[in-house]
């Protein structure tokens, strides 16, 4: 797969930009849309991605006709999460990198990256997928409500060239896509689960307004998290049904 | 809801054009994208929509944030099908107009309109929906493999102004959306089922390579067609699982 790079200084969101280009790309191409700054970072629900101008990675991947069904859309979250995990792990060799369900990347228990997927669907087939990711690179301080955030520079004191880091991340994304084509979704499913934050550990969750302690057993094929509840029964939840506390 | 009209002579497909404009519209707006001719009419699967230059309606509606979940996406097929049904019924008062599952419109058992929906999905929510429709208006003859096709002019000998017809269709679409907002999806579900081609009649279907005669009982909420099978058991099918013969 060939990678094509597109860059702007300011965009509304890199995901929106990518979506507007969906008619201009071919199959088997990875298109990367990046910006120094986005006015309106779309997070899942009310969460927006706060980023200092030019200090961090803000990028979206656009790929067409992966032949994934909408029922299997969590596969696309797994692929980008794995790519980010691999990229960050290679940079921060001495730190603990984990994937926090459904699609954050943590370094030493602090959030370094967030992911947002948007799909173009016809019937039950995903015709195009946009995988947006923000990764904190050179930003040394975060607003107080983000005190659980971290960045590369906070962890290793190294200033990085954002353009170069975008290319490294894109190569990792390409590699993960190719691993999926070669080995199928079972392979991706297992690789994601192996890197899961809190796997086999007891963590606090917010469920129906209460905090409950559950053991994380892994994720299901459909993207649900599988938990051992306080009553020792196994139960699975979709993203909007439960929140993790950390 | 206000309707905004956009027109070009030639497009790749009106759906593609609509999708590329998704960042440029606001909520509570209906945007209409029409063309005289499309190079690449996307039908469901391998079916393409064949249309003589400037003779027929080729249009796509773009609407944002209808707050419909992907599980309930067939609602959007129902709304555009109902709108087309209403528009065509008002024009052809003496003819039998029906909705053929999943989303064709028939006049006297011949196809006059085809629909293609594409959705932009984030998580399980449809953020934007594109409803494309082709309606045969002034075209008097169809290629031999389309001998089950018809048009307005074939039925009533009346030449129509395409611009005016596009506006009538758009008003009907707006009306159906507003009926949904006012009365909910149960209302739309029943209205669609009432107009269903072959309701309570026995029709031939192609199922796993065999032709089977089944009685059409209606459609399910999720868009499946519900059939009384030759063995008198009730069974439901998605669009890709069964084909209607007519």
């Amino acid at each position: 797969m060939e990678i094509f790079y597109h860059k702007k200084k300011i965009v509304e969101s890199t995901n929106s930009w990518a979506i507007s280009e969906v008619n201009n790309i071919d199959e088997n191409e990875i298109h990367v849309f990046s910006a120094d700054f986005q006015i309106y970072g779309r997070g899942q629900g009310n969460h927006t991605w706060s980023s200092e101008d030019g200090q961090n990675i803000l990028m979206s991947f656009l790929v067409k006709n992966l032949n994934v069904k909408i029922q299997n859309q969590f596969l696309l979250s797994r692929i980008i999460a794995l790519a980010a995990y691999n990229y960050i792990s290679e940079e921060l060799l001495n730190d603990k990198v984990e994937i926090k369900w459904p699609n954050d990347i943590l370094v030493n228990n602090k959030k370094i990256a967030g992911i947002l997927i948007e799909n173009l669907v016809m019937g039950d087939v995903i015709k195009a997928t946009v995988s947006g990711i923000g990764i904190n690179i050179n930003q040394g301080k975060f607003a107080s409500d983000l005190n659980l955030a971290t960045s590369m520079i906070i962890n290793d004191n190294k200033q990085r060239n954002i353009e170069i880091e975008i290319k490294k991340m894109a190569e990792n994304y390409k590699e993960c896509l190719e691993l999926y084509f070669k080995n199928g979704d079972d392979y991706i499913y297992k690789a994601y689960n192996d890197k899961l934050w809190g796997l086999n550990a007891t963590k606090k969750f917010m469920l129906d307004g209460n905090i409950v302690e559950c053991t994380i057993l892994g994720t299901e094929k459909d993207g649900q998290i599988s938990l051992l509840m306080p009553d020792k029964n196994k139960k699975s939840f979709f993203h909007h049904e439960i929140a993790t506390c950390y």
Side-chain angles (χ1 to χ4, degrees), chain A residues 93-145:
Chain A
L93 292 168
N94 302 315
D95 296 284
K96 192 172 69 175
V97 183
E98 292 164 297
I99 299 171
K100 182 162 160 286
W101 177 84
N103 42 26
D104 288 336
I105 311 293
L106 305 187
V107 171
N108 303 333
N109 272 308
K110 291 186 169 200
K111 182 166 166 171
I112 197 167
I115 290 164
L116 181 68
I117 312 264
E118 294 181 81
N119 294 313
L120 184 65
V121 174
M122 196 192 292
D124 62 348
V125 176
I126 296 173
K127 305 298 288 180
T129 185
V130 173
S131 303
I133 184 163
I135 309 176
N136 297 328
I137 307 287
N138 293 329
Q139 186 170 346
K141 280 190 179 163
F142 294 90
S144 57
D145 60 328

Side-chain angles (χ1 to χ4, degrees), chain A residues 14-70:
Chain A
T14 55
N15 267 26
S16 297
W17 182 20
I19 287 162
S20 72
E21 296 293 330
V22 72
N23 300 316
N24 303 327
I25 76 157
D26 284 328
E27 290 179 50
N28 294 314
E29 292 177 353
I30 298 171
H31 285 257
V32 173
F33 299 86
S34 66
D36 285 344
F37 188 68
Q38 60 186 359
I39 299 161
Y40 168 58
R42 291 196 264 187
Q44 204 87 37
N46 292 318
H47 307 288
T48 51
W49 189 257
S50 146
S51 177
E52 259 178 31
D53 194 357
Q55 298 302 299
N56 304 316
I57 288 181
L58 291 173
M59 68 195 296
S60 294
F61 295 100
L62 171 60
V63 184
K64 236 171 174 168
N65 297 318
L66 287 179
N67 212 8
V68 171
K69 298 239 167 162
I70 186 71

Side-chain angles (χ1 to χ4, degrees), chain A residues 191-240:
Chain A
Y192 173 100
N193 259 9
D194 281 351
K195 287 145 188 73
L196 202 62
W197 170 82
L199 188 63
N200 300 320
T202 299
K203 297 286 178 185
K204 289 194 177 77
F205 290 85
M206 180 71 84
L207 184 62
D208 300 329
N210 302 308
I211 290 176
V212 268
E213 293 203 335
C214 311
T215 306
I216 299 179
L217 302 174
T219 60
E220 307 278 351
K221 273 290 172 71
D222 61 6
Q224 287 186 95
I225 193 162
S226 172
L227 301 177
L228 192 67
M229 305 301 287
D231 65 4
K232 300 294 165 205
N233 283 316
K234 199 184 128 177
K235 237 179 136 179
S236 297
F237 298 91
F238 284 107
H239 175 45
H240 56 267

Side-chain angles (χ1 to χ4, degrees), chain A residues 3 5 30 32 59 61 165-175:
Chain A
I3 307 176
Y5 293 89
I30 298 171
V32 173
M59 68 195 296
F61 295 100
E165 302 309 306
I166 282 172
K167 291 211 166 128
K168 289 186 202 166
M169 176 61 206
E171 290 297 335
N172 272 290
Y173 182 72
K174 175 183 161 171
E175 205 172 278

